[in-house]
Amino acid sequence: MRRRVWRWGWLTLLAAWAASAQAQELDWAQRMFSELEHDFGVVARGADVRHRIFLKNLYQETVTIADVASSCGCTSARASQTVIPSGETAYIELVLDTKNHMKQKDPNIDVKLTFDGINFKTVRIPIHVYIRSDVVIQPGAVEFGSVDLGAGATQRLSIAYAGRDDWQIREVRCNREYVKAAVQEKHRGGGRVDYDLVVHLDAAAPEGTFRDQLLLITDDAGNPFIPLAVSATVEPDIVMGTPEVPLGNLKPGVPKTVTAVIRGRRPFVIEKIECESERECFKVKLPKDPRSVHVLPLTVIPPDEQGKFTEQFTVTIVGRSQPLTFRAQGWIE
């Protein structure tokens, strides 16, 4: 009896060890993911709903995304890149089809990974979403696109509800203080309620790209929240094409001419260019006519000194409150 217990005890330990080893083997792939399950919550029909799940290569070997597949047509998935070098990050972008699918959907996203082309591991990511059939939003997202820095923008969307005559949108929230939104009731009656959603991007919005969401808060007891994607790329209307102008090797008193480039979306006029220091080593001739691209010859007469030589410049544009800056740097032998 003792021998039988001893034998089965070892078998149990071996089985546990094998299961543990298998779990550890699977973990290398799972550890790369920022999340292993995602719940979109409740979304409106027609809404443009997307989400990114990030993968970071934690290992010395290069990891390849061999395949990305979805178990349902309600959700598509694609990888931002197939090869992930050591230490780098990629993402899987999930996109819901809210026009052709409705109600509860629970697909799986399968991501197949390999580090040598021979051994493959598949990470399954469960997805959950409820697509409302009674609320339709057109267009499906607030997409400002490319907006000039300091210009601001406004988008208008329509929201149609079918159901209760007394249905209401009580509030619209956003995480970004420079995005303001409000609803305006257009129609009510016959089991239908229509709203206009007006979203304003403030002129104080910072430079860069953002993607966030608005949250429509309704009087539905069960599902009061309806998310709506909002995105924009705020770009300067005029930029320095050469924020760093290389001067190279210089000799005291020997003039050298380099070029500085300024680009704009529309023709503009440069009012003045000023040096930060008072050494008066630089000369530049400014064109008086408006251009969308200014290529400025910048002549430097190096002072009688040795070592690193740096000068900071401020560019004032006619009709633009915010100046541009660039730097010229070289070495005086």
Side-chain angles (χ1 to χ4, degrees), residues 103-264:
K103 298 188 177 181
Q104 184 67 38
K105 298 295 178 182
D106 299 286
N108 292 316
I109 305 299
D110 289 332
V111 183
K112 184 183 291 186
L113 304 174
T114 181
F115 59 88
D116 58 3
I118 300 174
N119 298 287
F120 294 86
K121 292 298 176 186
T122 298
V123 177
R124 171 159 289 184
I125 305 173
I127 305 298
H128 312 287
V129 64
Y130 186 88
I131 304 171
R132 296 184 59 153
S133 59
D134 57 347
V135 178
V136 180
I137 300 178
Q138 294 181 339
V142 184
E143 296 180 341
F144 289 105
S146 180
V147 181
D148 287 348
L149 181 66
T154 300
Q155 290 285 327
R156 185 180 294 269
L157 296 84
S158 64
I159 303 173
Y161 167 83
R164 298 185 287 112
D165 284 347
D166 59 348
W167 186 81
Q168 290 184 344
I169 298 177
R170 293 176 172 174
E171 186 182 354
V172 184
R173 296 177 185 172
C174 186
N175 297 325
R176 312 274 174 163
E177 60 181 10
Y178 44 83
V179 177
K180 308 295 182 183
V183 290
Q184 302 171 353
E185 185 176 316
K186 305 297 292 183
H187 169 80
R188 183 179 296 275
R192 175 166 178 166
V193 182
D194 295 330
Y195 283 97
D196 277 349
L197 173 64
V198 181
V199 187
H200 179 67
L201 179 67
D202 194 84
E207 180 182 343
T209 298
F210 75 88
R211 184 175 180 85
D212 209 320
Q213 67 177 20
L214 298 174
L215 196 61
L216 307 180
I217 303 176
T218 73
D219 65 348
D220 289 321
N223 297 312
F225 305 116
I226 303 175
L228 183 64
V230 55
S231 62
T233 299
V234 181
E235 300 177 325
D237 55 339
I238 303 173
V239 296
M240 284 299 310
T242 51
E244 297 281 343
V245 178
L247 299 176
N249 292 328
L250 305 169
K251 293 184 179 181
V254 179
K256 184 175 185 179
T257 300
V258 294
T259 56
V261 180
I262 308 176
R263 297 188 179 94

Side-chain angles (χ1 to χ4, degrees), residues 38-41 43 71-75 96-98 100-108 126-132:
H38 184 71
D39 190 345
F40 283 100
V43 302
S71 63
C72 175
C74 62
T75 307
L96 295 182
D97 180 0
T98 62
N100 300 311
H101 297 267
M102 291 179 288
K103 298 188 177 181
Q104 184 67 38
K105 298 295 178 182
D106 299 286
N108 292 316
I127 305 298
H128 312 287
V129 64
Y130 186 88
I131 304 171
R132 296 184 59 153

